[in-house]
Amino acid sequence: MTGIAGKVIAITGASSGIGEAAARLLAERGAVVILGARRSDRLETLAASIVSKGGEASHLVTDVRRRDNVVALVDLATDRYGKLDVLINNAGIAPISLLDDLRVDDWDAMIDVNVKGVLHGIAAALPVFRRQGFGHFVNTLSTAGLKIVPTMAVYAGSKNAVRAISEGLRQESGSSLRVTTISPGYVDTELPSSMTDSALREQGQASMKAMAIPASAIAEAMAFAIAQPNNVDVGEIVIRPTAQA
Ligand code: NDP
């Protein structure tokens, strides 16, 4: 199936930022979007806004740290719409810090959401994709994984774990599945609010003010990959502000 119209697309981390922008854009282009995140009020408002513009959206409170929640999100797609064309594993957090600070709880949190959350997505959608004979994973990574700088070790590690998992998935997928990774640079979103170190959070917010590109730019890249014919697998997209070193 070429294009976006008629595709059923589940998105984790759909309540703000890149996930929200992707949901709006893909719905505008005719996809049915299934929205997952923890903040139910944000999901409800987003789904209502999409529906008011003539789109089709369903939502479910989803914590990607819980495998059963992610299974339920995928089940919502297949039960209500009969299939799942794409899973966008997008939920993520970035409580970055220097390793010396030993913010071990934050390390755990990044592994739980950024790595295990994606694995839960794969475990939920892969059997469905195999049964259907088609399917597409779109995983949100980061340019932090391409240029490792101080404070980003664990965050970059979590994203690069998903890079490796995505390539392994692609190798094992055969010709029926597609796997795309998208590595954004600075994007204007709520991501700094997940930073527990207040100085780094302020720095992150300042960098975003100075150079960030809008979340819609990443949504466009996702839409490009999704719109390709089934035998065209867009493997990896890196998209960053021109001002980013
Ligand atoms: P936001 O903070 O705006 O969005 C993050 C999303 O993840 C929210 O919808 C949040 O929803 C969701 N989320 C967080 N924890 C969980 C959880 N346990 N279960 C389900 N959903 C969760 O930031 P972005 O839009 O920027 O982030 C989206 C992705 O983009 C992330 O993977 C991030 O690492 C990546 N990225 C962002 C960059 C940037 O500069 N903004 C750069 C590179 C990559 P809720 O709190 O409602 O659960």
Side-chain angles (χ1 to χ4, degrees):
M1 191 177 178
T2 305
I4 292 171
K7 283 191 172 158
V8 178
I9 303 176
I11 306 167
T12 68
S15 58
S16 61
I18 293 168
E20 176 181 348
R24 287 187 186 282
L25 183 72
L26 294 166
E28 231 173 75
R29 296 192 181 163
V32 172
V33 290
I34 316 290
L35 315 170
R38 292 166 305 170
R39 287 171 293 177
S40 59
D41 54 331
R42 298 283 285 260
L43 292 179
E44 264 167 43
T45 307
L46 175 59
S49 163
I50 288 170
V51 169
S52 76
K53 290 177 183 143
E56 176 76 38
S58 291
H59 61 93
L60 186 69
V61 172
T62 309
D63 185 333
V64 296
R65 293 171 297 184
R66 292 191 47 185
R67 188 176 165 199
D68 60 343
N69 279 202
V70 188
V71 168
L73 187 73
V74 167
D75 284 350
L76 174 61
T78 54
D79 292 350
R80 197 168 289 177
Y81 303 103
K83 63 171 182 168
L84 178 70
D85 292 279
V86 185
L87 174 63
I88 305 183
N89 283 308
N90 171 74
I93 55 170
I96 56 173
S97 60
L98 291 168
L99 292 168
D100 270 323
D101 291 345
L102 296 182
R103 290 178 179 251
V104 177
D105 289 345
D106 285 345
W107 304 352
D108 285 345
M110 281 186 275
I111 300 299
D112 286 346
V113 177
N114 300 356
V115 183
K116 285 172 139 182
V118 175
L119 287 170
H120 291 156
I122 293 169
L126 189 56
V128 173
F129 289 169
R130 289 292 189 209
R131 251 194 330 272
Q132 296 175 159
F134 61 85
H136 189 175
F137 290 100
V138 177
N139 297 335
T140 308
L141 307 184
S142 172
T143 56
L146 302 174
K147 183 180 175 195
I148 319 291
V149 298
T151 73
M152 297 276 192
V154 179
Y155 178 67
S158 72
K159 294 299 185 178
N160 280 352
V162 177
R163 185 183 307 284
I165 291 161
S166 302
E167 177 57 13
L169 182 61
R170 191 185 73 79
Q171 294 285 349
E172 293 180 21
S173 280
S175 59
S176 57
L177 305 190
R178 301 193 288 165
V179 183
T180 300
T181 60
I182 310 244
S183 295
Y186 281 110
V187 182
D188 186 12
T189 70
E190 297 172 23
L191 195 66
S193 69
S194 69
M195 296 178 188
T196 55
D197 179 312
S198 54
L200 289 175
R201 185 169 58 242
E202 276 164 33
Q203 254 177 45
Q205 278 160 342
S207 301
M208 279 193 180
K209 265 213 179 82
M211 68 170 106
I213 52 177
S216 58
I218 312 305
E220 284 286 358
M222 290 174 170
F224 170 78
I226 291 167
Q228 302 306 308
N230 274 352
N231 64 341
V232 177
D233 186 12
V234 178
E236 205 168 336
I237 299 178
V238 179
I239 175 163
R240 55 166 84 82
T242 48
Q244 185 176 330

